[in-house]
Amino acid sequence: MSSTYDSAKQAFADWGVDTDAAIDRLKDIAISMHCWQGDDVVGFETKTGSSGGGIQATGNHPGRARTPDELRADLDFAYAMIPGKHRLNLHAMYMDTDATPDRDEIEYAHFAPWVDWARASGIGLDFNPTFFAHAKADDNLTLAHPDAGIRDFWIEHGRRCREIAAQMGAALGSPAVNNIWVPDGFKDTPVDRMAARRRLEASLDAMFADPLDKAQMLDAVESKLFGIGVEACTVGSHEFYMGYAIRKGTLLCLDMGHFHPTENIADKLSSVALSLDEILLHVSRPMRWDSDHVILLNDDILAMAQELVSADLLGRTHIGLDFFDATISRTAAWVIGVRNMQKALLRALCLPLDQLRKAEDAMDFTTRFTVTEELKDLPHGVIWAEFCARMDVPTGRSLIGELDSYQASVSSRG
């Protein structure tokens, strides 16, 4: 422990904050890092469909992972640069097998190498059915498609993904969150929105018909405001999925990029938590719309972290990231993104919440205002550096050197 940290620790203690306790709390918070940043949402299956739903990685920075082994090597490096133990969020299109099953034929065996790797690495796995980048999704309708045959195809895909996720959770001793997002919607104004939403609801009911052990797998549903090709109507809107999650007892996924730019996602957490047991977050940075930029340590992220801590929701919230940027080093994007989420959580854990609540309950909004502003001057960076030192990961120029060195080693991939 450095004298610099001792001084910073005392500065926080003067406000009634125990930074050692905050560090201990932070090291136990697992963040689910998304596999699709490493290869620009391409996956490892033979497919013919377009991405759909507005999913598009831009840029051609060298170093994209082209195989499961390359992706796992990139992930190993990224995790080594991130303090703490975390999770991997895996999409169904990232199977690791010589077989060529269609989406309605996938099995746990097609993902077994990922489980073996996760077990050896000491991380948990989360999972996602892939309802895009397939010929049977090119209409931008899957579970809500008027064609029953197409709906049945995707229902079977969803069923199999739930079973795969449950087997992953059982193998690793940690429940896998299986998150469902579909790109279903209309480019221009539909005549009958209700019919499409009834089809989506019935398809979800069929997919969830077989109850699975929540100690192994947790179902989640994710809304979206709109995407390219579905500008006029997204069948699975926030209101649709919020009602569905409350009625059916699933997790509700709140993706920061899936709402109107003026909406405050942090404000939604305490509201939905009154009606839901657990929440899934996809933390992203929308610029103009759901453009999935690497997250910054900005006001939106800080507000979300503060709400998670102040509303005591950390134990009920699964935090995952969702961004993809091919204009910069993909591994650096992972590392900086996860660390920014952790930095935001650390700042929230270093708030004197009892003092702030006391002022707020007394309607003393002047004290609440002045205290929150003065706290911004505290040496948060020193506490973060101490956390990284205890977790044996680099910071500052040392981190940049590690990121640059690894990027140079993979640049020949093209």
Side-chain angles (χ1 to χ4, degrees):
M1 187 182 300
S2 69
S3 58
T4 303
Y5 175 69
D6 286 339
S7 176
K9 178 180 177 179
Q10 184 57 53
F12 280 89
D14 290 344
W15 290 92
V17 174
D18 184 345
T19 56
D20 286 333
I23 286 173
D24 286 341
R25 182 84 183 278
L26 181 61
K27 70 181 176 62
D28 293 328
I29 300 174
I31 295 171
S32 195
M33 197 166 77
H34 53 307
C35 70
W36 49 94
Q37 163 61 34
D39 81 325
D40 308 340
V41 207
V42 175
F44 303 126
E45 62 177 4
T46 302
K47 62 187 190 318
T48 59
S50 60
S51 290
I55 296 173
Q56 181 181 0
T58 57
N60 192 30
H61 198 79
R64 183 181 72 82
R66 301 160 299 183
T67 67
D69 285 339
E70 287 182 349
L71 184 57
R72 284 190 285 266
D74 292 349
L75 288 163
D76 285 336
F77 167 75
Y79 285 125
M81 298 295 105
I82 299 167
K85 279 292 184 182
H86 299 284
R87 304 177 67 84
L88 176 68
N89 198 4
L90 193 66
H91 242 285
M93 65 197 292
Y94 287 81
M95 66 183 73
D96 184 358
T97 176
D98 292 330
T100 57
D102 206 344
R103 298 272 176 86
D104 63 341
E105 300 169 324
I106 59 173
E107 299 175 356
Y108 174 75
H110 301 137
F111 300 89
W114 283 107
V115 178
D116 294 339
W117 168 81
R119 185 185 293 111
S121 302
I123 67 172
L125 288 178
D126 296 309
F127 203 56
N128 306 261
T130 306
F131 290 95
F132 55 89
H134 190 282
K136 291 186 177 178
D138 280 350
D139 293 330
N140 277 333
L141 289 168
T142 60
L143 295 179
H145 203 289
D147 186 326
I150 291 179
R151 292 200 305 276
D152 288 344
F153 174 88
W154 290 114
I155 290 169
E156 182 61 21
H157 174 64
R159 284 174 177 157
R160 286 173 177 258
C161 287
R162 293 183 73 235
E163 293 168 357
I164 291 166
Q167 289 177 273
M168 288 177 172
L172 297 173
S174 175
V177 176
N178 186 60
N179 182 51
I180 293 168
W181 173 80
V182 299
D184 294 37
F186 300 92
K187 184 174 180 64
D188 215 332
T189 307
V191 173
D192 193 350
R193 300 170 193 261
M194 181 64 80
R197 287 182 169 136
R198 289 194 188 281
R199 289 193 296 267
L200 176 56
E201 181 182 47
S203 295
L204 290 168
D205 287 348
M207 189 187 308
F208 293 140
D210 294 331
L212 296 175
D213 189 347
K214 289 187 176 182
Q216 300 175 356
M217 190 278 300
L218 297 169
D219 290 305
V221 290
E222 178 181 356
S223 67
K224 191 165 184 174
L225 180 62
F226 78 97
I228 296 173
V230 292
E231 293 89 347
C233 172
T234 297
V235 182
S237 65
H238 174 58
E239 293 77 12
F240 174 91
Y241 278 126
M242 182 167 64
Y244 191 88
I246 292 170
R247 293 196 311 276
K248 305 295 182 176
T250 72
L251 277 66
L252 179 67
C253 177
L254 299 176
D255 186 307
M256 291 186 71
H258 287 192
F259 296 88
H260 192 280
T262 61
E263 287 187 271
N264 184 341
I265 309 309
D267 183 58
K268 298 181 184 299
L269 290 171
S270 56
S271 296
V272 300
L274 294 172
S275 300
L276 296 167
D277 292 332
E278 296 182 71
I279 300 166
L280 172 62
L281 286 181
H282 274 190
V283 184
S284 184
R285 177 167 58 103
M287 190 176 291
R288 310 296 185 206
W289 69 293
D290 181 35
S291 46
D292 293 296
H293 291 69
V294 183
I295 64 172
L296 305 177
L297 187 62
N298 60 12
D299 288 345
D300 291 339
I301 301 301
L302 291 168
M304 178 172 286
Q306 181 175 324
E307 184 74 4
L308 289 173
V309 173
S310 65
D312 195 22
L313 293 176
L314 283 173
R316 299 167 53 192
T317 304
H318 304 262
I319 304 173
L321 304 186
D322 185 2
F323 52 76
F324 34 91
D325 188 345
T327 68
I328 62 176
S329 165
R330 295 165 184 83
T331 47
W334 267 329
V335 172
I336 299 304
V338 177
R339 287 166 64 114
N340 277 341
M341 187 69 243
Q342 291 181 290
K343 288 179 181 180
L345 289 167
L346 181 59
R347 289 198 179 207
L349 292 167
C350 287
L351 287 171
L353 287 176
D354 288 343
Q355 179 181 348
L356 291 169
R357 287 194 182 101
K358 182 178 179 181
E360 188 166 278
D361 290 345
M363 304 289 285
D364 184 358
F365 302 141
T366 301
T367 294
R368 183 187 64 184
F369 174 72
T370 54
V371 168
T372 53
E373 289 305 300
E374 288 300 303
L375 291 172
K376 293 176 181 178
D377 294 331
L378 289 174
H380 296 92
V382 177
I383 311 304
W384 169 255
E386 176 68 18
F387 173 56
C388 289
R390 294 184 188 185
M391 296 291 102
D392 196 26
V393 299
T395 57
R397 293 189 180 277
S398 295
L399 173 66
I400 293 171
E402 294 282 357
L403 296 176
D404 288 346
S405 178
Y406 188 81
Q407 176 59 36
S409 75
V410 301
S411 291
S412 60
R413 292 176 186 171

